[in-house]
Amino acid sequence: MSLIEQAAKRLEELRRAGAEIPDAAAPQAAQARPDEVERIPTPEAAIRGLSSRSAAPAPVGPATLAPKQVAPSRSDALRARDIRRSDGLEQNRIDIDLERLKARGFVTPDAPKSQIADEFRIIKRPIIHNARRTAVSAIRNGNLIMVTSALPGEGKTFAAVNLAMSVAMELDTTVLLVDGDVAHPELPRVLGTPSSPGLLELLTTGQIDVSDAILRTNVENLSVLPAGAHHRRATELLASEQMAVVLHELATRYPDRIVIFDSPPLLPTTEARALASHMGQIVMVVAADSTRQHAVNLALATIENCEIVLMVLNKADKTDVGTYYGYYADEEPR
Ligand SMILES: Nc1ncnc2c1ncn2[C@@H]1O[C@H](COP(=O)(O)OP(=O)(O)OP(=O)(O)O)[C@@H](O)[C@H]1O
Ligand SMILES: [Mg+2]
């Protein structure tokens, strides 16, 4: 059975089960955001797109030649696959278990008054400000922000997820959280993201579109880009020209978007340095009682071409800095 027939059959089953299938010709809701409009064709629209392509007139040629089959593009195929997988009602979407996150001490939108929420409110403010600078004071790639640290286990993923949640709670900002720790992706464990195509596929295949890989979530304004399948030349991919192209698309497609990268540690890996070379801002997490100053200095020395490096002290004794988190060094351009 062809993709079109399978999708049409699924639609018919849904109709019989009483599901409401929106009319593709109906206007989109006035408030629908451009990314939603673009990425979520109604099932009928997707099928119509495929049908019209396969019903295209056969190329002119000798009468004996059979009409040439027009293969659907890969992104059509992905959309059709999504229709089948998600019953045509939802695609590229994950539900983050917010109760579980909250129980583990993370910022969640339904607990805006918690201490951790307050701490990240302070941390995000200069980051957002820097991302929004315009004209002469604009920072190159200012809305590309990488959360890193010198060594493993200092709280990068914890800080990246919290920062993303906190920024998503802003009224006029959308956030894309990217799993940039491509060798050891942690967002699947923390947020329950599936092992679907992600950053590495965008860099290797050239076949999937950014909007095919981005996952919307149940947190308003928050989307996630998974790391993608392991690749032995990940460092070269992250440092490549294609990475610059993908990042440009991520950074510029929506003017209100802030892109936050969870990343590997700087000292033991080369991936983090490759990523850092593209960023407009770097948030360096320092574990209060364990990171040696020497390690922090070495890590800072690996960062090139980034105007803004902010330091965040994690796991600090509350009596030292007033809160668990705190800024550790200045945030002026270096
Ligand atoms: N401020 C904090 N409060 C509570 N738990 C924290 C805090 N910072 C980190 N953790 C916990 O410490 C553990 C290590 O943190 P995390 O995974 O964020 O480190 P990481 O720097 O991303 O590690 P890796 O280098 O392996 O990627 C996790 O279980 C995380 O939830
Ligand atoms: Mg991590």
Side-chain angles (χ1 to χ4, degrees), residues 123-188:
I123 289 168
K124 75 178 166 182
R125 205 43 66 210
I127 293 170
I128 295 174
H129 173 77
N130 290 334
R132 289 191 181 148
R133 286 201 217 167
T134 51
V136 277
S137 67
I139 297 165
R140 192 181 65 91
N141 292 341
N143 61 341
L144 298 181
I145 296 137
M146 167 175 161
V147 180
T148 191
S149 73
L151 299 166
E154 297 191 79
K156 296 176 287 297
T157 303
F158 187 80
V161 169
N162 281 328
L163 184 60
M165 285 281 175
S166 186
V167 177
M169 286 154 71
E170 294 284 305
L171 292 179
D172 49 358
T173 304
T174 57
V175 185
L176 176 65
L177 176 60
V178 181
D179 199 336
D181 195 349
V182 290
H184 302 282
E186 286 198 78
L187 295 189

Side-chain angles (χ1 to χ4, degrees), residues 43-61:
E44 286 185 346
I47 288 171
R48 206 170 293 160
L50 288 171
S51 310
S52 60
R53 236 158 298 207
S54 28
V60 179

